[in-house]
mmCIF file of all heavy atoms in Angstrom:
data_model
loop_
_atom_site.group_PDB
_atom_site.id
_atom_site.type_symbol
_atom_site.label_atom_id
_atom_site.label_comp_id
_atom_site.label_asym_id
_atom_site.label_seq_id
_atom_site.Cartn_x
_atom_site.Cartn_y
_atom_site.Cartn_z
ATOM 1 N N PRO A 1386 126.610 132.515 115.583
ATOM 2 C CA PRO A 1386 125.369 132.863 114.875
ATOM 3 C C PRO A 1386 124.178 133.085 115.812
ATOM 4 O O PRO A 1386 123.288 133.883 115.500
ATOM 5 C CB PRO A 1386 125.126 131.655 113.964
ATOM 6 C CG PRO A 1386 126.465 131.026 113.790
ATOM 7 C CD PRO A 1386 127.214 131.288 115.063
ATOM 8 N N GLU A 1387 124.180 132.422 116.953
ATOM 9 C CA GLU A 1387 123.089 132.608 117.915
ATOM 10 C C GLU A 1387 122.998 134.056 118.388
ATOM 11 O O GLU A 1387 121.927 134.534 118.748
ATOM 12 C CB GLU A 1387 123.250 131.680 119.118
ATOM 13 C CG GLU A 1387 123.004 130.210 118.814
ATOM 14 C CD GLU A 1387 124.198 129.507 118.177
ATOM 15 O OE1 GLU A 1387 125.329 130.059 118.185
ATOM 16 O OE2 GLU A 1387 123.997 128.398 117.653
ATOM 17 N N TRP A 1388 124.122 134.757 118.396
ATOM 18 C CA TRP A 1388 124.146 136.139 118.881
ATOM 19 C C TRP A 1388 123.662 137.135 117.837
ATOM 20 O O TRP A 1388 123.673 138.336 118.069
ATOM 21 C CB TRP A 1388 125.517 136.507 119.396
ATOM 22 C CG TRP A 1388 125.825 135.907 120.738
ATOM 23 C CD1 TRP A 1388 125.070 135.008 121.430
ATOM 24 C CD2 TRP A 1388 126.966 136.165 121.537
ATOM 25 N NE1 TRP A 1388 125.680 134.673 122.616
ATOM 26 C CE2 TRP A 1388 126.860 135.379 122.712
ATOM 27 C CE3 TRP A 1388 128.082 136.967 121.390
ATOM 28 C CZ2 TRP A 1388 127.808 135.383 123.714
ATOM 29 C CZ3 TRP A 1388 129.040 136.969 122.393
ATOM 30 C CH2 TRP A 1388 128.898 136.194 123.545
ATOM 31 N N GLU A 1389 123.217 136.649 116.708
ATOM 32 C CA GLU A 1389 122.592 137.545 115.741
ATOM 33 C C GLU A 1389 121.353 138.182 116.374
ATOM 34 O O GLU A 1389 121.018 139.316 116.089
ATOM 35 C CB GLU A 1389 122.225 136.766 114.469
ATOM 36 C CG GLU A 1389 121.799 137.632 113.318
ATOM 37 C CD GLU A 1389 122.889 138.590 112.822
ATOM 38 O OE1 GLU A 1389 124.080 138.229 112.793
ATOM 39 O OE2 GLU A 1389 122.520 139.716 112.456
ATOM 40 N N LEU A 1390 120.706 137.435 117.275
ATOM 41 C CA LEU A 1390 119.544 137.945 118.013
ATOM 42 C C LEU A 1390 119.971 138.445 119.389
ATOM 43 O O LEU A 1390 120.635 137.716 120.147
ATOM 44 C CB LEU A 1390 118.498 136.842 118.197
ATOM 45 C CG LEU A 1390 117.848 136.315 116.924
ATOM 46 C CD1 LEU A 1390 116.949 135.132 117.261
ATOM 47 C CD2 LEU A 1390 117.057 137.421 116.235
ATOM 48 N N PHE A 1391 119.586 139.667 119.700
ATOM 49 C CA PHE A 1391 119.933 140.258 120.992
ATOM 50 C C PHE A 1391 119.486 139.381 122.155
ATOM 51 O O PHE A 1391 120.206 139.242 123.150
ATOM 52 C CB PHE A 1391 119.329 141.661 121.128
ATOM 53 C CG PHE A 1391 119.543 142.255 122.484
ATOM 54 C CD1 PHE A 1391 120.794 142.716 122.858
ATOM 55 C CD2 PHE A 1391 118.511 142.315 123.409
ATOM 56 C CE1 PHE A 1391 121.019 143.251 124.122
ATOM 57 C CE2 PHE A 1391 118.727 142.841 124.672
ATOM 58 C CZ PHE A 1391 119.980 143.308 125.028
ATOM 59 N N GLU A 1392 118.321 138.776 122.054
ATOM 60 C CA GLU A 1392 117.780 137.955 123.141
ATOM 61 C C GLU A 1392 118.722 136.807 123.503
ATOM 62 O O GLU A 1392 118.875 136.467 124.680
ATOM 63 C CB GLU A 1392 116.395 137.399 122.769
ATOM 64 C CG GLU A 1392 115.325 138.454 122.624
ATOM 65 C CD GLU A 1392 115.390 139.234 121.302
ATOM 66 O OE1 GLU A 1392 116.112 138.832 120.352
ATOM 67 O OE2 GLU A 1392 114.718 140.284 121.234
ATOM 68 N N ASN A 1393 119.368 136.202 122.510
ATOM 69 C CA ASN A 1393 120.307 135.107 122.770
ATOM 70 C C ASN A 1393 121.585 135.618 123.430
ATOM 71 O O ASN A 1393 122.134 134.974 124.325
ATOM 72 C CB ASN A 1393 120.629 134.368 121.475
ATOM 73 C CG ASN A 1393 119.431 133.661 120.911
ATOM 74 O OD1 ASN A 1393 118.471 133.356 121.619
ATOM 75 N ND2 ASN A 1393 119.462 133.402 119.614
ATOM 76 N N PHE A 1394 122.059 136.764 122.971
ATOM 77 C CA PHE A 1394 123.229 137.383 123.603
ATOM 78 C C PHE A 1394 122.913 137.692 125.065
ATOM 79 O O PHE A 1394 123.699 137.395 125.963
ATOM 80 C CB PHE A 1394 123.614 138.661 122.844
ATOM 81 C CG PHE A 1394 124.742 139.436 123.467
ATOM 82 C CD1 PHE A 1394 126.033 138.944 123.464
ATOM 83 C CD2 PHE A 1394 124.508 140.672 124.048
ATOM 84 C CE1 PHE A 1394 127.078 139.668 124.041
ATOM 85 C CE2 PHE A 1394 125.535 141.405 124.622
ATOM 86 C CZ PHE A 1394 126.824 140.898 124.606
ATOM 87 N N TYR A 1395 121.739 138.251 125.287
ATOM 88 C CA TYR A 1395 121.330 138.597 126.651
ATOM 89 C C TYR A 1395 121.225 137.352 127.533
ATOM 90 O O TYR A 1395 121.669 137.355 128.682
ATOM 91 C CB TYR A 1395 120.002 139.358 126.640
ATOM 92 C CG TYR A 1395 119.629 139.867 128.009
ATOM 93 C CD1 TYR A 1395 120.177 141.043 128.488
ATOM 94 C CD2 TYR A 1395 118.766 139.147 128.826
ATOM 95 C CE1 TYR A 1395 119.871 141.506 129.755
ATOM 96 C CE2 TYR A 1395 118.446 139.603 130.097
ATOM 97 C CZ TYR A 1395 119.003 140.783 130.555
ATOM 98 O OH TYR A 1395 118.709 141.232 131.811
ATOM 99 N N ALA A 1396 120.676 136.271 126.998
ATOM 100 C CA ALA A 1396 120.544 135.034 127.768
ATOM 101 C C ALA A 1396 121.914 134.483 128.168
ATOM 102 O O ALA A 1396 122.092 133.986 129.286
ATOM 103 C CB ALA A 1396 119.769 133.990 126.964
ATOM 104 N N ASP A 1397 122.892 134.592 127.274
ATOM 105 C CA ASP A 1397 124.235 134.062 127.552
ATOM 106 C C ASP A 1397 125.057 134.964 128.462
ATOM 107 O O ASP A 1397 125.743 134.496 129.369
ATOM 108 C CB ASP A 1397 125.010 133.858 126.249
ATOM 109 C CG ASP A 1397 124.560 132.646 125.458
ATOM 110 O OD1 ASP A 1397 123.828 131.796 126.018
ATOM 111 O OD2 ASP A 1397 124.947 132.544 124.271
ATOM 112 N N MET A 1398 125.021 136.282 128.219
ATOM 113 C CA MET A 1398 125.947 137.190 128.896
ATOM 114 C C MET A 1398 125.286 138.123 129.910
ATOM 115 O O MET A 1398 125.965 138.715 130.741
ATOM 116 C CB MET A 1398 126.719 138.022 127.863
ATOM 117 C CG MET A 1398 127.539 137.201 126.873
ATOM 118 S SD MET A 1398 128.758 136.098 127.613
ATOM 119 C CE MET A 1398 129.881 137.266 128.362
ATOM 120 N N GLY A 1399 123.985 138.262 129.838
ATOM 121 C CA GLY A 1399 123.269 139.181 130.719
ATOM 122 C C GLY A 1399 123.431 138.913 132.204
ATOM 123 O O GLY A 1399 123.630 139.856 132.982
ATOM 124 N N PRO A 1400 123.366 137.644 132.641
ATOM 125 C CA PRO A 1400 123.437 137.377 134.080
ATOM 126 C C PRO A 1400 124.721 137.852 134.767
ATOM 127 O O PRO A 1400 124.718 138.125 135.957
ATOM 128 C CB PRO A 1400 123.310 135.853 134.154
ATOM 129 C CG PRO A 1400 122.571 135.473 132.918
ATOM 130 C CD PRO A 1400 123.037 136.446 131.871
ATOM 131 N N THR A 1401 125.815 137.977 134.023
ATOM 132 C CA THR A 1401 127.085 138.380 134.639
ATOM 133 C C THR A 1401 127.473 139.822 134.310
ATOM 134 O O THR A 1401 128.536 140.285 134.724
ATOM 135 C CB THR A 1401 128.214 137.427 134.196
ATOM 136 O OG1 THR A 1401 128.272 137.417 132.762
ATOM 137 C CG2 THR A 1401 127.974 136.019 134.717
ATOM 138 N N TYR A 1402 126.624 140.521 133.567
ATOM 139 C CA TYR A 1402 126.943 141.886 133.149
ATOM 140 C C TYR A 1402 126.904 142.862 134.321
ATOM 141 O O TYR A 1402 126.048 142.777 135.184
ATOM 142 C CB TYR A 1402 125.950 142.348 132.081
ATOM 143 C CG TYR A 1402 126.160 143.783 131.653
ATOM 144 C CD1 TYR A 1402 127.271 144.152 130.922
ATOM 145 C CD2 TYR A 1402 125.238 144.766 131.996
ATOM 146 C CE1 TYR A 1402 127.468 145.466 130.530
ATOM 147 C CE2 TYR A 1402 125.416 146.090 131.600
ATOM 148 C CZ TYR A 1402 126.538 146.425 130.870
ATOM 149 O OH TYR A 1402 126.737 147.730 130.490
ATOM 150 N N GLN A 1403 127.861 143.801 134.316
ATOM 151 C CA GLN A 1403 127.874 144.915 135.261
ATOM 152 C C GLN A 1403 128.145 146.188 134.461
ATOM 153 O O GLN A 1403 129.012 146.189 133.586
ATOM 154 C CB GLN A 1403 128.967 144.740 136.308
ATOM 155 C CG GLN A 1403 128.763 143.568 137.228
ATOM 156 C CD GLN A 1403 129.945 143.407 138.179
ATOM 157 O OE1 GLN A 1403 130.636 144.362 138.497
ATOM 158 N NE2 GLN A 1403 130.170 142.194 138.616
ATOM 159 N N GLU A 1404 127.418 147.241 134.775
ATOM 160 C CA GLU A 1404 127.605 148.530 134.092
ATOM 161 C C GLU A 1404 129.072 148.953 134.174
ATOM 162 O O GLU A 1404 129.712 148.805 135.202
ATOM 163 C CB GLU A 1404 126.714 149.587 134.742
ATOM 164 C CG GLU A 1404 126.674 150.892 133.987
ATOM 165 C CD GLU A 1404 125.960 150.810 132.646
ATOM 166 O OE1 GLU A 1404 124.973 150.057 132.536
ATOM 167 O OE2 GLU A 1404 126.402 151.496 131.715
ATOM 168 N N GLY A 1405 129.595 149.448 133.065
ATOM 169 C CA GLY A 1405 130.972 149.943 133.030
ATOM 170 C C GLY A 1405 131.984 148.923 132.540
ATOM 171 O O GLY A 1405 133.125 149.273 132.271
ATOM 172 N N LEU A 1406 131.581 147.665 132.427
ATOM 173 C CA LEU A 1406 132.498 146.654 131.924
ATOM 174 C C LEU A 1406 132.315 146.499 130.421
ATOM 175 O O LEU A 1406 131.277 146.832 129.869
ATOM 176 C CB LEU A 1406 132.245 145.309 132.615
ATOM 177 C CG LEU A 1406 132.489 145.265 134.120
ATOM 178 C CD1 LEU A 1406 132.218 143.859 134.657
ATOM 179 C CD2 LEU A 1406 133.901 145.713 134.475
ATOM 180 N N SER A 1407 133.338 145.981 129.767
ATOM 181 C CA SER A 1407 133.238 145.721 128.331
ATOM 182 C C SER A 1407 133.450 144.234 128.096
ATOM 183 O O SER A 1407 133.988 143.529 128.951
ATOM 184 C CB SER A 1407 134.272 146.557 127.563
ATOM 185 O OG SER A 1407 135.567 146.277 128.021
ATOM 186 N N ILE A 1408 133.026 143.789 126.932
ATOM 187 C CA ILE A 1408 133.147 142.364 126.634
ATOM 188 C C ILE A 1408 134.536 142.085 126.080
ATOM 189 O O ILE A 1408 135.060 142.840 125.269
ATOM 190 C CB ILE A 1408 132.036 141.893 125.667
ATOM 191 C CG1 ILE A 1408 131.966 140.382 125.679
ATOM 192 C CG2 ILE A 1408 132.211 142.467 124.275
ATOM 193 C CD1 ILE A 1408 130.651 139.836 125.179
ATOM 194 N N GLY A 1409 135.139 141.020 126.576
ATOM 195 C CA GLY A 1409 136.464 140.630 126.113
ATOM 196 C C GLY A 1409 136.479 139.156 125.771
ATOM 197 O O GLY A 1409 135.690 138.375 126.297
ATOM 198 N N ARG A 1410 137.382 138.799 124.869
ATOM 199 C CA ARG A 1410 137.538 137.397 124.490
ATOM 200 C C ARG A 1410 138.696 136.784 125.253
ATOM 201 O O ARG A 1410 139.758 137.390 125.366
ATOM 202 C CB ARG A 1410 137.760 137.290 122.982
ATOM 203 C CG ARG A 1410 136.488 137.555 122.202
ATOM 204 C CD ARG A 1410 136.711 137.734 120.713
ATOM 205 N NE ARG A 1410 137.429 138.999 120.490
ATOM 206 C CZ ARG A 1410 138.604 139.093 119.891
ATOM 207 N NH1 ARG A 1410 139.194 138.041 119.390
ATOM 208 N NH2 ARG A 1410 139.186 140.270 119.771
ATOM 209 N N ILE A 1411 138.519 135.612 125.779
ATOM 210 C CA ILE A 1411 139.562 134.903 126.517
ATOM 211 C C ILE A 1411 140.708 134.570 125.568
ATOM 212 O O ILE A 1411 141.871 134.799 125.873
ATOM 213 C CB ILE A 1411 138.971 133.649 127.188
ATOM 214 C CG1 ILE A 1411 137.922 134.075 128.229
ATOM 215 C CG2 ILE A 1411 140.066 132.796 127.816
ATOM 216 C CD1 ILE A 1411 136.988 132.977 128.680
ATOM 217 N N ASP A 1412 140.374 134.024 124.406
ATOM 218 C CA ASP A 1412 141.346 133.777 123.340
ATOM 219 C C ASP A 1412 141.170 134.898 122.326
ATOM 220 O O ASP A 1412 140.156 134.961 121.629
ATOM 221 C CB ASP A 1412 141.081 132.411 122.696
ATOM 222 C CG ASP A 1412 141.929 132.159 121.446
ATOM 223 O OD1 ASP A 1412 142.778 133.003 121.091
ATOM 224 O OD2 ASP A 1412 141.730 131.100 120.820
ATOM 225 N N ASN A 1413 142.150 135.791 122.222
ATOM 226 C CA ASN A 1413 142.042 136.958 121.341
ATOM 227 C C ASN A 1413 141.891 136.603 119.867
ATOM 228 O O ASN A 1413 141.512 137.437 119.063
ATOM 229 C CB ASN A 1413 143.247 137.880 121.507
ATOM 230 C CG ASN A 1413 143.016 138.928 122.557
ATOM 231 O OD1 ASN A 1413 141.889 139.213 122.925
ATOM 232 N ND2 ASN A 1413 144.093 139.507 123.046
ATOM 233 N N ASP A 1414 142.220 135.380 119.503
ATOM 234 C CA ASP A 1414 142.071 134.959 118.119
ATOM 235 C C ASP A 1414 140.774 134.185 117.898
ATOM 236 O O ASP A 1414 140.479 133.778 116.784
ATOM 237 C CB ASP A 1414 143.266 134.101 117.689
ATOM 238 C CG ASP A 1414 144.553 134.899 117.691
ATOM 239 O OD1 ASP A 1414 144.526 136.067 117.253
ATOM 240 O OD2 ASP A 1414 145.583 134.374 118.131
ATOM 241 N N GLY A 1415 140.007 133.982 118.960
ATOM 242 C CA GLY A 1415 138.768 133.222 118.874
ATOM 243 C C GLY A 1415 137.556 134.115 118.682
ATOM 244 O O GLY A 1415 137.632 135.336 118.754
ATOM 245 N N PRO A 1416 136.404 133.490 118.477
ATOM 246 C CA PRO A 1416 135.175 134.244 118.206
ATOM 247 C C PRO A 1416 134.531 134.784 119.483
ATOM 248 O O PRO A 1416 134.890 134.387 120.594
ATOM 249 C CB PRO A 1416 134.263 133.181 117.580
ATOM 250 C CG PRO A 1416 134.689 131.923 118.271
ATOM 251 C CD PRO A 1416 136.184 132.049 118.433
ATOM 252 N N TYR A 1417 133.582 135.668 119.283
ATOM 253 C CA TYR A 1417 132.724 136.099 120.378
ATOM 254 C C TYR A 1417 131.662 135.009 120.557
ATOM 255 O O TYR A 1417 130.870 134.760 119.651
ATOM 256 C CB TYR A 1417 132.034 137.430 120.054
ATOM 257 C CG TYR A 1417 132.928 138.625 120.165
ATOM 258 C CD1 TYR A 1417 133.534 139.175 119.048
ATOM 259 C CD2 TYR A 1417 133.152 139.228 121.401
ATOM 260 C CE1 TYR A 1417 134.342 140.288 119.149
ATOM 261 C CE2 TYR A 1417 133.960 140.345 121.513
ATOM 262 C CZ TYR A 1417 134.556 140.865 120.381
ATOM 263 O OH TYR A 1417 135.359 141.971 120.489
ATOM 264 N N CYS A 1418 131.687 134.335 121.682
ATOM 265 C CA CYS A 1418 130.694 133.316 122.028
ATOM 266 C C CYS A 1418 130.728 133.153 123.545
ATOM 267 O O CYS A 1418 131.669 133.604 124.203
ATOM 268 C CB CYS A 1418 130.963 131.984 121.327
ATOM 269 S SG CYS A 1418 132.529 131.214 121.760
ATOM 270 N N LYS A 1419 129.716 132.526 124.086
ATOM 271 C CA LYS A 1419 129.599 132.401 125.542
ATOM 272 C C LYS A 1419 130.853 131.783 126.167
ATOM 273 O O LYS A 1419 131.350 132.247 127.190
ATOM 274 C CB LYS A 1419 128.366 131.571 125.888
ATOM 275 C CG LYS A 1419 128.144 131.409 127.367
ATOM 276 C CD LYS A 1419 126.906 130.593 127.654
ATOM 277 C CE LYS A 1419 126.706 130.466 129.159
ATOM 278 N NZ LYS A 1419 125.494 129.699 129.461
ATOM 279 N N GLU A 1420 131.388 130.754 125.535
ATOM 280 C CA GLU A 1420 132.542 130.032 126.087
ATOM 281 C C GLU A 1420 133.845 130.834 126.009
ATOM 282 O O GLU A 1420 134.786 130.558 126.747
ATOM 283 C CB GLU A 1420 132.742 128.696 125.347
ATOM 284 C CG GLU A 1420 131.583 127.746 125.446
ATOM 285 C CD GLU A 1420 130.400 128.114 124.539
ATOM 286 O OE1 GLU A 1420 130.584 128.821 123.519
ATOM 287 O OE2 GLU A 1420 129.278 127.697 124.879
ATOM 288 N N ASN A 1421 133.900 131.818 125.120
ATOM 289 C CA ASN A 1421 135.142 132.563 124.916
ATOM 290 C C ASN A 1421 135.051 134.020 125.374
ATOM 291 O O ASN A 1421 135.958 134.799 125.139
ATOM 292 C CB ASN A 1421 135.558 132.518 123.429
ATOM 293 C CG ASN A 1421 136.966 133.000 123.202
ATOM 294 O OD1 ASN A 1421 137.878 132.673 123.958
ATOM 295 N ND2 ASN A 1421 137.165 133.785 122.169
ATOM 296 N N CYS A 1422 133.949 134.390 126.044
ATOM 297 C CA CYS A 1422 133.788 135.792 126.438
ATOM 298 C C CYS A 1422 133.643 135.958 127.940
ATOM 299 O O CYS A 1422 133.164 135.060 128.637
ATOM 300 C CB CYS A 1422 132.559 136.393 125.747
ATOM 301 S SG CYS A 1422 132.831 136.699 124.002
ATOM 302 N N LYS A 1423 134.085 137.117 128.403
ATOM 303 C CA LYS A 1423 133.922 137.494 129.812
ATOM 304 C C LYS A 1423 133.829 139.007 129.866
ATOM 305 O O LYS A 1423 134.224 139.708 128.928
ATOM 306 C CB LYS A 1423 135.085 136.981 130.645
ATOM 307 C CG LYS A 1423 136.436 137.554 130.245
ATOM 308 C CD LYS A 1423 137.553 136.995 131.086
ATOM 309 C CE LYS A 1423 138.891 137.572 130.631
ATOM 310 N NZ LYS A 1423 139.970 137.182 131.492
ATOM 311 N N TRP A 1424 133.312 139.515 130.973
ATOM 312 C CA TRP A 1424 133.232 140.963 131.187
ATOM 313 C C TRP A 1424 134.524 141.432 131.809
ATOM 314 O O TRP A 1424 135.030 140.807 132.741
ATOM 315 C CB TRP A 1424 132.025 141.302 132.057
ATOM 316 C CG TRP A 1424 130.751 140.931 131.387
ATOM 317 C CD1 TRP A 1424 129.927 139.897 131.705
ATOM 318 C CD2 TRP A 1424 130.178 141.566 130.249
ATOM 319 N NE1 TRP A 1424 128.872 139.850 130.837
ATOM 320 C CE2 TRP A 1424 128.996 140.870 129.928
ATOM 321 C CE3 TRP A 1424 130.540 142.661 129.463
ATOM 322 C CZ2 TRP A 1424 128.181 141.236 128.858
ATOM 323 C CZ3 TRP A 1424 129.719 143.024 128.402
ATOM 324 C CH2 TRP A 1424 128.562 142.313 128.108
#
């Protein structure tokens, strides 16, 4: 729910973002959240 706001998504995932990468979930059955996502 925190990612409803772009600013929260940016705070969690922005520091590791690189152009050309896409967001992926570590556990494919889990939610999109800081602990379960990587570029």
Side-chain angles (χ1 to χ4, degrees):
E1387 289 81 14
W1388 285 7
E1389 190 62 37
L1390 295 174
F1391 174 74
E1392 294 78 13
N1393 294 338
F1394 176 69
Y1395 186 82
D1397 285 346
M1398 301 303 295
T1401 56
Y1402 177 70
Q1403 294 176 27
E1404 189 69 35
L1406 297 181
S1407 58
I1408 195 160
R1410 287 168 291 121
I1411 296 163
D1412 172 3
N1413 269 341
D1414 295 319
Y1417 284 98
C1418 62
K1419 181 179 181 179
E1420 299 77 23
N1421 193 42
C1422 287
K1423 62 181 179 174
W1424 297 108

